[in-house]
Amino acid sequence: MKKIILLFIGIIAITIPAMAQAYESTIQYDKKKHTAIAIDYNYSPEAVQNAFVQKMEKLGYKAKEEKGILNKDKGFLVFKNAYVTDVSSDKMDYIVKVERKSRKSGDQAILYMIMNKGDENAMVKMDAYEIGNAKSFLNSMLPDVEAASLELDIKAQQETVAKAEKKLSDLKNDQISLEKKLAENKTGQENTQKDIEAQKQALGILMGKRRSN
C-alpha cells in the first residue's frame, strides 16, 4: 500500500511541473509598461504562437503583426475587437507576444497577453474572477500547443524525408550517368583495340617491305 501511495505521489510530482500555469506579469508595448497575463510553455516559440493564432482564427479573428526594423513592438500580434467568451463578455483587443525563454532554451517559450479596451489596459478594471478566466484561457491552451508542436515536428520530418529522397534520386541519376560513361568507355576501348591491331598490321606490312642488306 505504501509503495502504491509513493508511486502515486511520484506521478503527481512529475506531472504538475509539466502543466502550464498562467500568472500576472508586465511587458513593454507601445512605449508603455502593460500589465499582462503570461504563461510558460516547454515548447518552441513557433509552436506556441501557431497554437494561439489558430485558436483565435477558429473564433474568427486574424492577427495583425507589428513589423518594421525600427518598430520596437515588432513581433507583437494584435487581435482587434475580439470577442472571446472564455475570457470576457466584452470585446477587447488581445495583444500577444511570444518570446524564447532564454537563448539556450530553444524549446521553452513565454507568451504574454495584454487585454485592452480602447487605449486602456483592461486588466486595471478586471476583478479576480475575470483575471482568473484569462489565466484559465491560457492554461487550457496546452493541448493546442502540443498539437501545433506535433505539426511542426511532422513538417520537419517530411522535409528530412524529402531531402533524403532527393539525395537518393541524385545518386541514382549519377549512377546512370556513370554507367553510360563506363559503357562508352568500354566501347571506346574496344574500338581503339581494333584500331591498334589494324595499325600493327599496317606497320608489319610496311616493315616487310624493307630491303634486306
Side-chain angles (χ1 to χ4, degrees):
M1 186 68 181
K2 288 183 179 180
K3 289 182 179 180
I4 295 173
I5 293 171
L6 288 172
L7 178 62
F8 182 70
I9 293 171
I11 292 170
I12 293 174
I14 293 170
T15 306
I16 289 175
M19 296 174 65
Q21 293 294 319
Y23 53 91
E24 293 178 45
S25 185
T26 59
I27 188 170
Q28 191 81 13
Y29 175 74
D30 193 24
K31 299 178 182 178
K32 293 182 287 184
K33 183 177 282 187
H34 286 265
T35 304
I37 303 296
I39 189 167
D40 301 342
Y41 293 104
N42 290 323
Y43 292 91
S44 70
E46 186 178 4
V48 174
Q49 181 164 307
N50 287 353
F52 193 92
V53 169
Q54 289 163 10
K55 194 174 185 72
M56 294 299 286
E57 285 180 348
K58 287 178 182 177
L59 295 175
Y61 303 103
K62 288 190 176 181
K64 178 185 176 183
E65 184 176 357
E66 296 279 6
K67 296 180 179 180
I69 297 173
L70 301 178
N71 187 354
K72 291 184 179 180
D73 296 329
K74 183 179 180 181
F76 276 89
L77 302 177
V78 182
F79 298 86
K80 297 287 289 184
N81 294 318
Y83 185 49
V84 184
T85 55
D86 288 343
V87 177
S88 174
S89 58
D90 297 327
K91 284 187 175 182
M92 294 189 291
D93 295 342
Y94 290 83
I95 304 162
V96 174
K97 179 70 178 291
V98 180
E99 296 179 342
R100 194 178 304 280
K101 196 167 184 180
S102 69
R103 292 181 181 179
K104 294 181 180 179
S105 56
D107 289 334
Q108 290 185 319
I110 304 176
L111 183 150
Y112 296 92
M113 183 175 73
I114 301 169
M115 293 168 287
N116 276 4
K117 283 184 182 180
D119 294 328
E120 294 184 0
N121 191 306
M123 280 187 66
V124 176
K125 296 181 180 180
M126 278 184 171
D127 58 27
Y129 178 77
E130 291 175 314
I131 291 175
N133 284 344
K135 290 178 181 178
S136 296
F137 177 71
L138 295 185
N139 290 339
S140 67
M141 269 186 52
L142 184 57
D144 302 290
V145 174
E146 290 173 344
S149 180
L150 176 59
E151 288 305 314
L152 289 174
D153 290 342
I154 290 171
K155 182 181 177 181
Q157 191 61 29
Q158 286 174 334
E159 291 174 354
T160 299
V161 171
K163 287 179 182 178
E165 288 176 339
K166 185 179 184 306
K167 183 178 180 179
L168 178 61
S169 177
D170 291 341
L171 289 170
K172 286 182 176 180
N173 290 335
D174 289 344
Q175 182 182 355
I176 292 170
S177 178
L178 288 170
E179 287 174 350
K180 183 179 179 181
K181 288 180 179 180
L182 286 171
E184 291 173 351
N185 183 279
K186 185 177 180 181
T187 301
Q189 288 184 49
E190 291 171 352
N191 291 335
T192 302
Q193 186 63 43
K194 290 176 182 178
D195 184 55
I196 289 172
E197 295 299 327
Q199 296 303 330
K200 283 183 176 180
Q201 288 179 6
L203 177 60
I205 292 171
L206 290 173
M207 292 178 69
K209 291 180 179 181
R210 281 179 176 168
R211 291 183 181 181
S212 56
N213 295 328

mmCIF file of all heavy atoms in Angstrom, residues 20-62:
data_model
loop_
_atom_site.group_PDB
_atom_site.id
_atom_site.type_symbol
_atom_site.label_atom_id
_atom_site.label_comp_id
_atom_site.label_asym_id
_atom_site.label_seq_id
_atom_site.Cartn_x
_atom_site.Cartn_y
_atom_site.Cartn_z
ATOM 1 N N ALA A 20 1.266 23.815 -17.724
ATOM 2 C CA ALA A 20 1.491 25.256 -17.817
ATOM 3 C C ALA A 20 0.492 25.993 -16.919
ATOM 4 O O ALA A 20 -0.697 25.686 -16.912
ATOM 5 C CB ALA A 20 1.337 25.698 -19.268
ATOM 6 N N GLN A 21 0.980 26.955 -16.135
ATOM 7 C CA GLN A 21 0.129 27.741 -15.246
ATOM 8 C C GLN A 21 0.351 29.224 -15.526
ATOM 9 O O GLN A 21 1.469 29.727 -15.426
ATOM 10 C CB GLN A 21 0.443 27.431 -13.784
ATOM 11 C CG GLN A 21 0.084 26.011 -13.366
ATOM 12 C CD GLN A 21 -1.409 25.744 -13.405
ATOM 13 O OE1 GLN A 21 -2.203 26.594 -13.012
ATOM 14 N NE2 GLN A 21 -1.792 24.569 -13.879
ATOM 15 N N ALA A 22 -0.719 29.923 -15.884
ATOM 16 C CA ALA A 22 -0.624 31.348 -16.197
ATOM 17 C C ALA A 22 -0.455 32.180 -14.926
ATOM 18 O O ALA A 22 -0.865 31.774 -13.843
ATOM 19 C CB ALA A 22 -1.866 31.794 -16.958
ATOM 20 N N TYR A 23 0.146 33.354 -15.099
ATOM 21 C CA TYR A 23 0.391 34.247 -13.966
ATOM 22 C C TYR A 23 0.400 35.692 -14.462
ATOM 23 O O TYR A 23 0.466 35.956 -15.659
ATOM 24 C CB TYR A 23 1.730 33.913 -13.296
ATOM 25 C CG TYR A 23 2.913 33.884 -14.252
ATOM 26 C CD1 TYR A 23 3.688 35.016 -14.495
ATOM 27 C CD2 TYR A 23 3.248 32.707 -14.936
ATOM 28 C CE1 TYR A 23 4.765 34.996 -15.371
ATOM 29 C CE2 TYR A 23 4.315 32.674 -15.825
ATOM 30 C CZ TYR A 23 5.067 33.815 -16.037
ATOM 31 O OH TYR A 23 6.127 33.786 -16.918
ATOM 32 N N GLU A 24 0.309 36.624 -13.532
ATOM 33 C CA GLU A 24 0.318 38.049 -13.890
ATOM 34 C C GLU A 24 1.752 38.529 -14.054
ATOM 35 O O GLU A 24 2.636 38.164 -13.280
ATOM 36 C CB GLU A 24 -0.402 38.866 -12.825
ATOM 37 C CG GLU A 24 -1.892 38.562 -12.760
ATOM 38 C CD GLU A 24 -2.601 39.335 -11.662
ATOM 39 O OE1 GLU A 24 -2.329 40.551 -11.540
ATOM 40 O OE2 GLU A 24 -3.427 38.731 -10.943
ATOM 41 N N SER A 25 1.968 39.369 -15.080
ATOM 42 C CA SER A 25 3.306 39.875 -15.372
ATOM 43 C C SER A 25 3.182 41.245 -16.038
ATOM 44 O O SER A 25 2.089 41.824 -16.081
ATOM 45 C CB SER A 25 4.048 38.884 -16.288
ATOM 46 O OG SER A 25 5.382 39.310 -16.493
ATOM 47 N N THR A 26 4.285 41.758 -16.520
ATOM 48 C CA THR A 26 4.279 43.029 -17.250
ATOM 49 C C THR A 26 5.150 42.902 -18.496
ATOM 50 O O THR A 26 6.078 42.090 -18.547
ATOM 51 C CB THR A 26 4.821 44.187 -16.391
ATOM 52 O OG1 THR A 26 6.161 43.885 -15.980
ATOM 53 C CG2 THR A 26 3.935 44.430 -15.180
ATOM 54 N N ILE A 27 4.841 43.723 -19.498
ATOM 55 C CA ILE A 27 5.640 43.738 -20.724
ATOM 56 C C ILE A 27 5.513 45.116 -21.365
ATOM 57 O O ILE A 27 4.482 45.789 -21.247
ATOM 58 C CB ILE A 27 5.187 42.627 -21.706
ATOM 59 C CG1 ILE A 27 6.167 42.531 -22.881
ATOM 60 C CG2 ILE A 27 3.757 42.857 -22.184
ATOM 61 C CD1 ILE A 27 5.949 41.326 -23.769
ATOM 62 N N GLN A 28 6.559 45.544 -22.037
ATOM 63 C CA GLN A 28 6.591 46.847 -22.686
ATOM 64 C C GLN A 28 5.924 46.775 -24.052
ATOM 65 O O GLN A 28 6.260 45.919 -24.871
ATOM 66 C CB GLN A 28 8.044 47.312 -22.843
ATOM 67 C CG GLN A 28 8.205 48.765 -23.255
ATOM 68 C CD GLN A 28 8.071 49.731 -22.087
ATOM 69 O OE1 GLN A 28 8.086 49.316 -20.936
ATOM 70 N NE2 GLN A 28 7.955 51.007 -22.375
ATOM 71 N N TYR A 29 4.957 47.639 -24.287
ATOM 72 C CA TYR A 29 4.280 47.707 -25.583
ATOM 73 C C TYR A 29 3.784 49.129 -25.822
ATOM 74 O O TYR A 29 3.241 49.765 -24.919
ATOM 75 C CB TYR A 29 3.110 46.722 -25.644
ATOM 76 C CG TYR A 29 2.302 46.833 -26.928
ATOM 77 C CD1 TYR A 29 2.799 46.353 -28.135
ATOM 78 C CD2 TYR A 29 1.047 47.451 -26.927
ATOM 79 C CE1 TYR A 29 2.067 46.473 -29.300
ATOM 80 C CE2 TYR A 29 0.302 47.567 -28.096
ATOM 81 C CZ TYR A 29 0.824 47.078 -29.283
ATOM 82 O OH TYR A 29 0.107 47.196 -30.444
ATOM 83 N N ASP A 30 3.959 49.603 -27.041
ATOM 84 C CA ASP A 30 3.507 50.948 -27.420
ATOM 85 C C ASP A 30 4.054 52.009 -26.464
ATOM 86 O O ASP A 30 3.332 52.898 -26.005
ATOM 87 C CB ASP A 30 1.972 50.998 -27.453
ATOM 88 C CG ASP A 30 1.447 52.250 -28.145
ATOM 89 O OD1 ASP A 30 2.186 52.819 -28.971
ATOM 90 O OD2 ASP A 30 0.307 52.653 -27.854
ATOM 91 N N LYS A 31 5.344 51.838 -26.128
ATOM 92 C CA LYS A 31 6.088 52.777 -25.295
ATOM 93 C C LYS A 31 5.591 52.838 -23.845
ATOM 94 O O LYS A 31 5.896 53.771 -23.110
ATOM 95 C CB LYS A 31 6.050 54.188 -25.898
ATOM 96 C CG LYS A 31 6.668 54.287 -27.280
ATOM 97 C CD LYS A 31 6.568 55.693 -27.839
ATOM 98 C CE LYS A 31 7.158 55.774 -29.242
ATOM 99 N NZ LYS A 31 7.031 57.131 -29.823
ATOM 100 N N LYS A 32 4.807 51.828 -23.453
ATOM 101 C CA LYS A 32 4.296 51.799 -22.079
ATOM 102 C C LYS A 32 4.473 50.401 -21.501
ATOM 103 O O LYS A 32 4.467 49.412 -22.214
ATOM 104 C CB LYS A 32 2.813 52.187 -22.040
ATOM 105 C CG LYS A 32 2.528 53.635 -22.405
ATOM 106 C CD LYS A 32 1.061 53.948 -22.293
ATOM 107 C CE LYS A 32 0.267 53.326 -23.420
ATOM 108 N NZ LYS A 32 -1.168 53.713 -23.378
ATOM 109 N N LYS A 33 4.601 50.356 -20.168
ATOM 110 C CA LYS A 33 4.649 49.063 -19.490
ATOM 111 C C LYS A 33 3.213 48.638 -19.206
ATOM 112 O O LYS A 33 2.451 49.372 -18.589
ATOM 113 C CB LYS A 33 5.434 49.161 -18.185
ATOM 114 C CG LYS A 33 5.572 47.823 -17.465
ATOM 115 C CD LYS A 33 6.411 47.941 -16.205
ATOM 116 C CE LYS A 33 7.884 48.005 -16.548
ATOM 117 N NZ LYS A 33 8.739 47.941 -15.327
ATOM 118 N N HIS A 34 2.860 47.452 -19.702
ATOM 119 C CA HIS A 34 1.496 46.952 -19.557
ATOM 120 C C HIS A 34 1.431 45.766 -18.616
ATOM 121 O O HIS A 34 2.308 44.897 -18.631
ATOM 122 C CB HIS A 34 0.947 46.513 -20.927
ATOM 123 C CG HIS A 34 0.584 47.643 -21.823
ATOM 124 N ND1 HIS A 34 -0.699 48.140 -21.918
ATOM 125 C CD2 HIS A 34 1.339 48.381 -22.673
ATOM 126 C CE1 HIS A 34 -0.720 49.130 -22.806
ATOM 127 N NE2 HIS A 34 0.506 49.293 -23.278
ATOM 128 N N THR A 35 0.372 45.725 -17.824
ATOM 129 C CA THR A 35 0.070 44.518 -17.062
ATOM 130 C C THR A 35 -0.443 43.481 -18.046
ATOM 131 O O THR A 35 -1.227 43.791 -18.950
ATOM 132 C CB THR A 35 -1.004 44.798 -15.997
ATOM 133 O OG1 THR A 35 -0.560 45.864 -15.164
ATOM 134 C CG2 THR A 35 -1.257 43.564 -15.152
ATOM 135 N N ALA A 36 0.007 42.246 -17.877
ATOM 136 C CA ALA A 36 -0.374 41.196 -18.821
ATOM 137 C C ALA A 36 -0.523 39.868 -18.096
ATOM 138 O O ALA A 36 -0.077 39.701 -16.960
ATOM 139 C CB ALA A 36 0.681 41.077 -19.917
ATOM 140 N N ILE A 37 -1.172 38.927 -18.788
ATOM 141 C CA ILE A 37 -1.198 37.551 -18.325
ATOM 142 C C ILE A 37 -0.106 36.814 -19.092
ATOM 143 O O ILE A 37 -0.025 36.923 -20.314
ATOM 144 C CB ILE A 37 -2.566 36.885 -18.593
ATOM 145 C CG1 ILE A 37 -3.681 37.680 -17.932
ATOM 146 C CG2 ILE A 37 -2.565 35.441 -18.096
ATOM 147 C CD1 ILE A 37 -3.609 37.719 -16.432
ATOM 148 N N ALA A 38 0.741 36.111 -18.376
ATOM 149 C CA ALA A 38 1.844 35.386 -19.019
ATOM 150 C C ALA A 38 1.767 33.906 -18.676
ATOM 151 O O ALA A 38 1.141 33.508 -17.685
ATOM 152 C CB ALA A 38 3.184 35.958 -18.572
ATOM 153 N N ILE A 39 2.399 33.112 -19.519
ATOM 154 C CA ILE A 39 2.446 31.672 -19.268
ATOM 155 C C ILE A 39 3.676 31.081 -19.926
ATOM 156 O O ILE A 39 4.091 31.526 -21.009
ATOM 157 C CB ILE A 39 1.155 30.986 -19.787
ATOM 158 C CG1 ILE A 39 1.099 29.521 -19.339
ATOM 159 C CG2 ILE A 39 1.014 31.115 -21.288
ATOM 160 C CD1 ILE A 39 -0.264 28.873 -19.540
ATOM 161 N N ASP A 40 4.298 30.128 -19.265
ATOM 162 C CA ASP A 40 5.489 29.457 -19.797
ATOM 163 C C ASP A 40 5.091 28.101 -20.377
ATOM 164 O O ASP A 40 4.300 27.363 -19.770
ATOM 165 C CB ASP A 40 6.520 29.231 -18.690
ATOM 166 C CG ASP A 40 6.968 30.534 -18.041
ATOM 167 O OD1 ASP A 40 6.751 31.595 -18.646
ATOM 168 O OD2 ASP A 40 7.521 30.479 -16.935
ATOM 169 N N TYR A 41 5.648 27.805 -21.527
ATOM 170 C CA TYR A 41 5.415 26.506 -22.148
ATOM 171 C C TYR A 41 6.762 25.850 -22.464
ATOM 172 O O TYR A 41 7.704 26.532 -22.889
ATOM 173 C CB TYR A 41 4.635 26.641 -23.456
ATOM 174 C CG TYR A 41 3.216 27.127 -23.302
ATOM 175 C CD1 TYR A 41 2.870 28.440 -23.612
ATOM 176 C CD2 TYR A 41 2.210 26.265 -22.867
ATOM 177 C CE1 TYR A 41 1.564 28.887 -23.495
ATOM 178 C CE2 TYR A 41 0.898 26.711 -22.743
ATOM 179 C CZ TYR A 41 0.585 28.011 -23.066
ATOM 180 O OH TYR A 41 -0.701 28.461 -22.947
ATOM 181 N N ASN A 42 6.829 24.544 -22.284
ATOM 182 C CA ASN A 42 8.047 23.808 -22.640
ATOM 183 C C ASN A 42 7.997 23.369 -24.101
ATOM 184 O O ASN A 42 8.192 22.200 -24.446
ATOM 185 C CB ASN A 42 8.227 22.582 -21.724
ATOM 186 C CG ASN A 42 8.585 22.988 -20.314
ATOM 187 O OD1 ASN A 42 9.322 23.955 -20.098
ATOM 188 N ND2 ASN A 42 8.060 22.274 -19.340
ATOM 189 N N TYR A 43 7.709 24.348 -24.954
ATOM 190 C CA TYR A 43 7.640 24.126 -26.398
ATOM 191 C C TYR A 43 8.256 25.325 -27.097
ATOM 192 O O TYR A 43 8.447 26.382 -26.492
ATOM 193 C CB TYR A 43 6.187 23.923 -26.856
ATOM 194 C CG TYR A 43 5.575 22.623 -26.361
ATOM 195 C CD1 TYR A 43 4.880 22.587 -25.151
ATOM 196 C CD2 TYR A 43 5.707 21.451 -27.085
ATOM 197 C CE1 TYR A 43 4.333 21.402 -24.688
ATOM 198 C CE2 TYR A 43 5.164 20.260 -26.629
ATOM 199 C CZ TYR A 43 4.477 20.241 -25.433
ATOM 200 O OH TYR A 43 3.944 19.060 -24.970
ATOM 201 N N SER A 44 8.553 25.179 -28.360
ATOM 202 C CA SER A 44 9.210 26.251 -29.101
ATOM 203 C C SER A 44 8.275 27.453 -29.253
ATOM 204 O O SER A 44 7.042 27.290 -29.280
ATOM 205 C CB SER A 44 9.623 25.754 -30.495
ATOM 206 O OG SER A 44 8.474 25.533 -31.309
ATOM 207 N N PRO A 45 8.840 28.663 -29.374
ATOM 208 C CA PRO A 45 8.011 29.858 -29.585
ATOM 209 C C PRO A 45 7.118 29.736 -30.815
ATOM 210 O O PRO A 45 5.980 30.209 -30.814
ATOM 211 C CB PRO A 45 9.057 30.965 -29.766
ATOM 212 C CG PRO A 45 10.249 30.485 -29.001
ATOM 213 C CD PRO A 45 10.265 29.001 -29.207
ATOM 214 N N GLU A 46 7.632 29.099 -31.858
ATOM 215 C CA GLU A 46 6.839 28.939 -33.088
ATOM 216 C C GLU A 46 5.592 28.101 -32.834
ATOM 217 O O GLU A 46 4.498 28.432 -33.300
ATOM 218 C CB GLU A 46 7.688 28.286 -34.177
ATOM 219 C CG GLU A 46 6.978 28.214 -35.529
ATOM 220 C CD GLU A 46 7.830 27.618 -36.624
ATOM 221 O OE1 GLU A 46 8.969 27.187 -36.329
ATOM 222 O OE2 GLU A 46 7.357 27.557 -37.772
ATOM 223 N N ALA A 47 5.752 27.020 -32.071
ATOM 224 C CA ALA A 47 4.614 26.159 -31.766
ATOM 225 C C ALA A 47 3.581 26.903 -30.926
ATOM 226 O O ALA A 47 2.369 26.811 -31.174
ATOM 227 C CB ALA A 47 5.080 24.906 -31.032
ATOM 228 N N VAL A 48 4.055 27.655 -29.925
ATOM 229 C CA VAL A 48 3.154 28.407 -29.038
ATOM 230 C C VAL A 48 2.393 29.473 -29.818
ATOM 231 O O VAL A 48 1.172 29.611 -29.689
ATOM 232 C CB VAL A 48 3.944 29.048 -27.880
ATOM 233 C CG1 VAL A 48 3.036 29.949 -27.040
ATOM 234 C CG2 VAL A 48 4.579 27.971 -27.002
ATOM 235 N N GLN A 49 3.113 30.213 -30.657
ATOM 236 C CA GLN A 49 2.464 31.270 -31.439
ATOM 237 C C GLN A 49 1.464 30.673 -32.425
ATOM 238 O O GLN A 49 0.354 31.202 -32.585
ATOM 239 C CB GLN A 49 3.516 32.103 -32.183
ATOM 240 C CG GLN A 49 2.894 33.249 -32.997
ATOM 241 C CD GLN A 49 3.918 34.282 -33.398
ATOM 242 O OE1 GLN A 49 4.643 34.807 -32.556
ATOM 243 N NE2 GLN A 49 4.011 34.578 -34.686
ATOM 244 N N ASN A 50 1.850 29.598 -33.100
ATOM 245 C CA ASN A 50 0.932 28.946 -34.043
ATOM 246 C C ASN A 50 -0.346 28.510 -33.336
ATOM 247 O O ASN A 50 -1.454 28.664 -33.878
ATOM 248 C CB ASN A 50 1.603 27.736 -34.691
ATOM 249 C CG ASN A 50 2.655 28.121 -35.707
ATOM 250 O OD1 ASN A 50 2.812 29.287 -36.032
ATOM 251 N ND2 ASN A 50 3.382 27.154 -36.221
ATOM 252 N N ALA A 51 -0.195 27.961 -32.137
ATOM 253 C CA ALA A 51 -1.352 27.481 -31.385
ATOM 254 C C ALA A 51 -2.308 28.627 -31.053
ATOM 255 O O ALA A 51 -3.533 28.493 -31.201
ATOM 256 C CB ALA A 51 -0.898 26.783 -30.105
ATOM 257 N N PHE A 52 -1.750 29.761 -30.604
ATOM 258 C CA PHE A 52 -2.600 30.898 -30.230
ATOM 259 C C PHE A 52 -3.300 31.470 -31.466
ATOM 260 O O PHE A 52 -4.501 31.749 -31.432
ATOM 261 C CB PHE A 52 -1.785 31.989 -29.541
ATOM 262 C CG PHE A 52 -2.640 33.022 -28.869
ATOM 263 C CD1 PHE A 52 -2.994 32.893 -27.534
ATOM 264 C CD2 PHE A 52 -3.110 34.125 -29.568
ATOM 265 C CE1 PHE A 52 -3.803 33.838 -26.904
ATOM 266 C CE2 PHE A 52 -3.918 35.075 -28.954
ATOM 267 C CZ PHE A 52 -4.268 34.933 -27.615
ATOM 268 N N VAL A 53 -2.543 31.628 -32.534
ATOM 269 C CA VAL A 53 -3.118 32.173 -33.778
ATOM 270 C C VAL A 53 -4.243 31.273 -34.285
ATOM 271 O O VAL A 53 -5.318 31.755 -34.674
ATOM 272 C CB VAL A 53 -2.016 32.322 -34.858
ATOM 273 C CG1 VAL A 53 -2.633 32.614 -36.224
ATOM 274 C CG2 VAL A 53 -1.053 33.440 -34.478
ATOM 275 N N GLN A 54 -4.019 29.971 -34.289
ATOM 276 C CA GLN A 54 -5.037 29.033 -34.760
ATOM 277 C C GLN A 54 -6.274 29.051 -33.873
ATOM 278 O O GLN A 54 -7.405 28.956 -34.362
ATOM 279 C CB GLN A 54 -4.454 27.623 -34.834
ATOM 280 C CG GLN A 54 -3.440 27.446 -35.962
ATOM 281 C CD GLN A 54 -2.570 26.216 -35.790
ATOM 282 O OE1 GLN A 54 -2.820 25.365 -34.928
ATOM 283 N NE2 GLN A 54 -1.524 26.111 -36.607
ATOM 284 N N LYS A 55 -6.054 29.204 -32.562
ATOM 285 C CA LYS A 55 -7.185 29.256 -31.626
ATOM 286 C C LYS A 55 -8.043 30.495 -31.903
ATOM 287 O O LYS A 55 -9.274 30.418 -31.903
ATOM 288 C CB LYS A 55 -6.667 29.296 -30.185
ATOM 289 C CG LYS A 55 -7.737 29.008 -29.135
ATOM 290 C CD LYS A 55 -7.116 28.914 -27.759
ATOM 291 C CE LYS A 55 -8.128 28.503 -26.691
ATOM 292 N NZ LYS A 55 -8.529 27.095 -26.802
ATOM 293 N N MET A 56 -7.390 31.623 -32.145
ATOM 294 C CA MET A 56 -8.119 32.861 -32.423
ATOM 295 C C MET A 56 -8.774 32.821 -33.807
ATOM 296 O O MET A 56 -9.877 33.361 -33.987
ATOM 297 C CB MET A 56 -7.173 34.058 -32.313
ATOM 298 C CG MET A 56 -6.657 34.308 -30.906
ATOM 299 S SD MET A 56 -7.968 34.672 -29.704
ATOM 300 C CE MET A 56 -8.391 36.344 -30.169
ATOM 301 N N GLU A 57 -8.117 32.180 -34.757
ATOM 302 C CA GLU A 57 -8.705 32.063 -36.102
ATOM 303 C C GLU A 57 -9.976 31.232 -36.074
ATOM 304 O O GLU A 57 -10.915 31.494 -36.825
ATOM 305 C CB GLU A 57 -7.687 31.472 -37.073
ATOM 306 C CG GLU A 57 -6.609 32.460 -37.491
ATOM 307 C CD GLU A 57 -5.597 31.876 -38.470
ATOM 308 O OE1 GLU A 57 -5.598 30.624 -38.650
ATOM 309 O OE2 GLU A 57 -4.813 32.652 -39.053
ATOM 310 N N LYS A 58 -10.007 30.212 -35.205
ATOM 311 C CA LYS A 58 -11.226 29.401 -35.057
ATOM 312 C C LYS A 58 -12.379 30.240 -34.520
ATOM 313 O O LYS A 58 -13.549 29.944 -34.778
ATOM 314 C CB LYS A 58 -10.964 28.221 -34.120
ATOM 315 C CG LYS A 58 -10.111 27.126 -34.745
ATOM 316 C CD LYS A 58 -9.846 26.007 -33.741
ATOM 317 C CE LYS A 58 -8.948 24.942 -34.355
ATOM 318 N NZ LYS A 58 -8.618 23.862 -33.371
ATOM 319 N N LEU A 59 -12.031 31.289 -33.760
ATOM 320 C CA LEU A 59 -13.053 32.192 -33.229
ATOM 321 C C LEU A 59 -13.405 33.280 -34.250
ATOM 322 O O LEU A 59 -14.298 34.090 -34.008
ATOM 323 C CB LEU A 59 -12.556 32.845 -31.933
ATOM 324 C CG LEU A 59 -12.315 31.897 -30.752
ATOM 325 C CD1 LEU A 59 -11.698 32.659 -29.581
ATOM 326 C CD2 LEU A 59 -13.609 31.229 -30.325
ATOM 327 N N GLY A 60 -12.681 33.283 -35.369
ATOM 328 C CA GLY A 60 -12.981 34.237 -36.445
ATOM 329 C C GLY A 60 -12.126 35.484 -36.458
ATOM 330 O O GLY A 60 -12.499 36.477 -37.096
ATOM 331 N N TYR A 61 -10.975 35.457 -35.782
ATOM 332 C CA TYR A 61 -10.136 36.656 -35.702
ATOM 333 C C TYR A 61 -8.732 36.393 -36.251
ATOM 334 O O TYR A 61 -8.099 35.397 -35.907
ATOM 335 C CB TYR A 61 -10.044 37.149 -34.256
ATOM 336 C CG TYR A 61 -11.395 37.433 -33.650
ATOM 337 C CD1 TYR A 61 -11.958 36.531 -32.751
ATOM 338 C CD2 TYR A 61 -12.120 38.571 -34.004
ATOM 339 C CE1 TYR A 61 -13.222 36.775 -32.200
ATOM 340 C CE2 TYR A 61 -13.369 38.816 -33.460
ATOM 341 C CZ TYR A 61 -13.917 37.912 -32.562
ATOM 342 O OH TYR A 61 -15.156 38.148 -32.032
ATOM 343 N N LYS A 62 -8.286 37.298 -37.096
ATOM 344 C CA LYS A 62 -6.935 37.194 -37.657
ATOM 345 C C LYS A 62 -6.038 38.257 -37.044
ATOM 346 O O LYS A 62 -6.489 39.369 -36.745
ATOM 347 C CB LYS A 62 -6.969 37.347 -39.182
ATOM 348 C CG LYS A 62 -7.569 36.143 -39.881
ATOM 349 C CD LYS A 62 -7.374 36.229 -41.389
ATOM 350 C CE LYS A 62 -7.892 34.968 -42.070
ATOM 351 N NZ LYS A 62 -7.682 35.018 -43.535
#
